[in-house]
Amino acid sequence: MAHKKAGGSSRNGRDSESKRLGIKRYAGEVVLAGHILVRQRGTKFHPGLNVGKGSDDTLYARANGVVKFEVKGPKQRRYVNVILSAPPTA
């Protein structure tokens, strides 16, 4: 005789790997060209000055500078800008 009653097999228990989306560099942070600023699905944030958009909607710095966020336009869109500054000395 079995010591335990038959346990039903769970049909759940699957989940996709987390994608680590979100803001990677915040306002006021000094960034170098190529740094990833925002990882996103769709254009929650739009590219502004000196910011490029990758094929997966990732926003990245196209120049060295300081990150700045702003809301503008009739649709109140959120833009990410990189304001040019001298490259940081490390």
Side-chain angles (χ1 to χ4, degrees):
M1 301 284 291
H3 290 297
K4 294 189 174 177
K5 288 187 176 179
S9 63
S10 172
R11 286 193 287 172
N12 297 328
R14 287 176 302 282
D15 199 3
S16 61
E17 214 172 297
S18 64
K19 299 296 177 223
R20 281 97 174 166
L21 302 174
I23 298 173
K24 305 300 177 188
R25 293 282 187 270
Y26 292 92
E29 284 195 51
V30 176
V31 294
L32 300 175
H35 277 190
I36 290 175
L37 307 176
V38 182
R39 281 223 180 262
Q40 60 185 353
R41 293 289 166 265
T43 48
K44 194 171 177 134
F45 291 89
H46 293 264
L49 292 170
N50 301 310
V51 175
K53 183 167 81 79
S55 58
D56 62 348
D57 295 316
T58 293
L59 301 184
Y60 60 92
R62 295 182 94 155
N64 300 340
V66 179
V67 179
K68 181 175 181 257
F69 289 83
E70 63 182 354
V71 178
K72 65 180 183 181
K75 294 186 176 176
Q76 292 293 288
R77 286 187 169 154
R78 294 188 283 187
Y79 287 86
V80 185
N81 302 300
V82 171
I83 308 304
L84 296 178
S85 68
T89 54

